[in-house]
Amino acid sequence: PETWESYTVRQGDTLYGIAQAGGVSVERLMEANCLQSDVIVVGQELLVPPGTAPSAPVGASSAPSGPVGDGPITLQLRPGWRLEQVAAAIDRTAGLSFSGAEFLGLVGPGAAGNAGRAFLSSCPPGSSLEGYMFPAVYHLWPETTALQFREMILDNFERNVTPQMIADAAAQGLTFHQVITLASIIRRESTYPDDQRLVASVFYNRLRSGRRLDAYVTVQYVLGTPANWWPPLSAADLNVDSPYNTHIHTGLPPGPIASPGLPAINAALYPAQTDYLFFTGACDGSGRNVFASTYEEFVAIQCR
């Protein structure tokens, strides 16, 4: 907008706090700045409504006000992290009043049913909040509690995942919880949004044809340990007895294996339309995937 002013992001700023100070929605602020996510960084230039810059608050608007002289504590949750990695990040962050173990107690088995969020309504009984720790940079104060942090994350999920997106899960023949489950697998298989939509098409084609997903990342989820939450696998590992082992069970695993982030959720909701049934990592080191419609094509694209 022509009347908006330039603002340089400061340490501790959040998009939500800036939007609140400017009297606009986060969605409007993102649209005006052509942002694809709500993550902002120190030094980034934003366009904001007139008068916002001098009053833009520091820290997440949902966090309690800190004592004079105490700055916010920054904690980033990355896409593709499982709950244990979130807990480890908490334990690495100095100044927090709670531990990773305390946080795990609030997001572990049964937490989905007790969180009181409509977007969790399709979670099976006993579900944890695996998959729902929305990736972003969060700003906490020393007195922020583990429960307040959990609610900040769920609030952020609710802000980013619209009711229409939740309703669109049915168009794919899935519950929303199943969409998050699939999105978490997609995110562990690919980091590029355009690539993720192609990976999603492979998994949907396999699901609809009755094939197993054969996703290595679901086995990694079973076998992960604090030493390596996503370990390399041997051929014998693919026979591990677990409902998460998509090499021996058809369909989706019981729940998400990580928090996918918005691009992967969109990929699971709105996949590319292809006839691909296979994919493998590209041989050029780009981190992207290459795709095939037949097993013969799949063999031909393997790295030699």
Side-chain angles (χ1 to χ4, degrees):
E2 292 183 3
T3 59
W4 284 28
E5 304 168 342
S6 178
Y7 174 68
T8 302
V9 174
R10 302 172 298 176
Q11 182 68 41
D13 279 342
T14 69
L15 204 62
Y16 306 104
I18 294 171
Q20 184 182 50
V24 295
S25 68
V26 171
E27 292 75 17
R28 178 67 178 124
L29 195 59
M30 290 178 66
E31 179 186 22
N33 288 276
C34 300
L35 299 178
Q36 299 300 311
S37 82
D38 61 357
V39 176
I40 55 177
V41 297
V42 173
Q44 181 177 352
E45 293 292 327
L46 295 177
L47 288 175
V48 298
T52 301
S55 59
V58 176
S61 58
S62 57
S65 299
V68 174
D70 286 349
I73 301 165
T74 300
L75 177 56
Q76 182 173 12
L77 305 189
R78 297 187 180 276
W81 276 5
R82 55 194 288 166
L83 289 176
E84 295 91 345
Q85 290 175 282
V86 176
I90 290 169
D91 287 335
R92 291 194 302 268
T93 303
L96 295 177
S97 65
F98 59 92
S99 67
E102 184 179 351
F103 185 77
L104 283 178
L106 293 171
V107 298
N114 298 326
R117 304 286 178 142
F119 60 81
L120 298 172
S121 61
S122 63
C123 295
S127 294
S128 73
L129 289 174
E130 188 76 270
Y132 296 93
M133 300 288 96
F134 199 83
V137 175
Y138 293 90
H139 303 284
L140 298 78
W141 295 97
E143 65 269 33
T144 301
T145 67
L147 180 59
Q148 286 174 326
F149 183 41
R150 187 192 79 173
E151 295 306 295
M152 288 170 63
I153 298 170
L154 295 180
D155 286 345
N156 201 13
F157 190 102
E158 202 159 31
R159 278 189 289 259
N160 282 273
V161 179
T162 67
Q164 184 60 55
M165 292 169 66
I166 296 172
D168 286 347
Q172 300 298 342
L174 302 178
T175 68
F176 184 65
H177 186 67
Q178 289 173 322
V179 163
I180 298 300
T181 299
L182 180 57
S184 71
I185 299 171
I186 292 168
R187 178 57 184 78
R188 288 303 313 176
E189 295 283 4
S190 175
T191 61
Y192 296 95
D194 55 339
D195 198 64
Q196 289 171 353
R197 295 187 67 240
L198 294 171
V199 171
S201 76
V202 171
F203 287 142
Y204 273 115
N205 290 340
R206 295 184 73 86
L207 286 170
R208 290 163 182 166
S209 65
R211 296 171 181 257
R212 294 186 298 271
L213 292 185
D214 284 343
Y216 288 92
V217 294
T218 62
V219 181
Q220 288 179 307
Y221 182 70
V222 175
L223 299 178
T225 68
N228 188 346
W229 288 115
W230 304 100
L233 302 176
S234 68
D237 290 333
L238 302 184
N239 296 315
V240 64
D241 183 15
S242 168
Y244 283 88
N245 186 350
T246 56
H247 286 260
I248 61 177
H249 296 289
T250 57
L252 292 167
I257 62 172
S259 291
L262 195 56
I265 296 172
N266 277 319
L269 285 169
Y270 315 112
Q273 300 302 307
T274 75
D275 60 359
Y276 294 144
L277 287 169
F278 305 92
F279 69 91
T280 188
C283 302
D284 60 4
S286 65
R288 291 184 175 272
N289 292 293
V290 288
F291 300 84
S293 300
T294 68
Y295 183 73
E296 291 73 22
E297 292 173 351
F298 175 62
V299 172
I301 61 176
Q302 299 295 307
C303 299
R304 306 299 181 188

